[in-house]
Amino acid sequence: MKAVISGYGKMGRMVEKTLAEMGIECAGKSEDIRSFDPAVAKDAVCIDFTVPAAIRENYKFLAENFKAVVIGTTGWNDIRDEVVSYFIQCGTPMVYASNFSIGVNIFFAVNDFISKKMSLTGGYSPYIVEMHHCHKLDAPSGTAKSLGEIVDGNMGVKTDIQSVRCGEIPGIHIVGYEGADDRIVLKHEAFSRTGFARGAVEAAIRADSLGSGVYEFKDIIFSE
């Protein structure tokens, strides 16, 4: 497998380091992926960690030119149907996630299980608090929104999400279930960006062998 990195910020550099550690060729990196050589792109998986505006500008080029695409950028949920449809139209496999951390995807599964149980018993109100570094552009985080979608879908509520932007926090997500007599609190804390990069590279490895289609990382990472 060959990988190309779109967006060479902190996450892009971490992905490059992870690729090297895993012995995977990095065929290039670009801050402006639309200027990338299509001849190289056709045999490579693009790993995108850019900004929401860049996804809007770049997704057609990504779908038209790369063998497969992994999107770790968040903040484009409002055009998700449009993006998904275009990748399907182009026959280009794409894997996306609000968070590529394996631990966070387990966190999704745990909250899915608990909120389903809550829906059967009643008596609990959920809330979400997410904390990130001061450079993060979107709020709430994509991960918090994904957690909210899981909880709301199971419990039939609209979960309150609170965001904190401070310092260099890699990412903390807290989901609480408040009852009259007790409280259940679940927390995931990232120590660094390494886990996100490792998950994104794992997604790229899987995307390299996928047929056409669009997949959420959480739906393929635990499959056999």
Side-chain angles (χ1 to χ4, degrees):
M1 186 194 88
K2 297 180 181 179
V4 170
I5 300 169
S6 175
Y8 198 57
K10 291 179 180 178
M11 272 306 305
R13 289 191 289 273
M14 185 63 71
V15 168
E16 182 181 36
K17 181 175 182 289
T18 303
L19 290 169
E21 290 172 349
M22 297 179 68
I24 298 172
E25 178 183 351
C26 180
K29 44 190 180 284
S30 177
E31 290 287 2
D32 180 13
I33 200 65
R34 286 176 295 169
S35 65
F36 197 80
D37 185 356
V40 177
K42 67 183 179 66
D43 294 318
V45 179
C46 182
I47 302 176
D48 182 283
F49 280 98
T50 52
V51 295
I55 291 296
R56 288 165 167 75
E57 296 174 353
N58 299 338
Y59 78 86
K60 290 185 178 180
F61 180 89
L62 296 174
E64 291 167 359
N65 291 280
F66 282 91
K67 181 180 180 182
V69 176
V70 171
I71 298 181
T73 306
T74 59
W76 53 276
N77 193 57
D78 58 311
I79 61 165
R80 179 167 56 182
D81 291 346
E82 177 184 331
V83 173
V84 167
S85 295
Y86 200 75
F87 271 87
I88 292 173
Q89 177 185 325
C90 292
T92 304
M94 188 259 275
V95 178
Y96 71 99
S98 57
N99 194 311
F100 278 102
S101 160
I102 302 299
V104 163
N105 280 273
I106 294 172
F107 195 61
F108 288 154
V110 170
N111 277 281
D112 184 43
F113 175 82
I114 289 180
S115 57
K116 282 178 179 175
K117 296 298 183 184
M118 295 287 184
S119 71
L120 299 175
T121 61
Y124 288 87
S125 298
Y127 63 87
I128 296 171
V129 179
E130 59 95 354
M131 306 172 68
H132 283 87
H133 52 84
C134 60
H135 316 290
K136 187 169 178 61
L137 298 179
D138 58 322
S141 67
T143 301
K145 289 179 181 177
S146 293
L147 286 164
E149 289 174 3
I150 291 168
V151 173
D152 293 355
N154 289 334
M155 297 180 68
V157 297
K158 180 61 177 176
T159 303
D160 183 55
I161 302 176
Q162 296 295 318
S163 300
V164 175
R165 296 291 175 266
C166 185
E168 298 297 332
I169 303 169
I172 298 172
H173 291 87
I174 299 167
V175 183
Y177 299 91
E178 188 81 10
D181 302 311
D182 55 15
R183 176 186 303 119
I184 297 172
V185 179
L186 303 174
K187 177 180 178 182
H188 178 275
E189 180 172 356
F191 300 145
S192 71
R193 295 178 175 85
T194 303
F196 310 141
R198 287 177 179 163
V201 172
E202 176 63 30
I205 293 170
R206 296 192 180 218
D208 187 56
S209 60
L210 289 172
S212 61
V214 174
Y215 308 85
E216 281 197 71
F217 186 54
K218 67 183 178 66
D219 294 327
I220 66 170
I221 187 57
F222 304 119
S223 62
E224 296 295 333

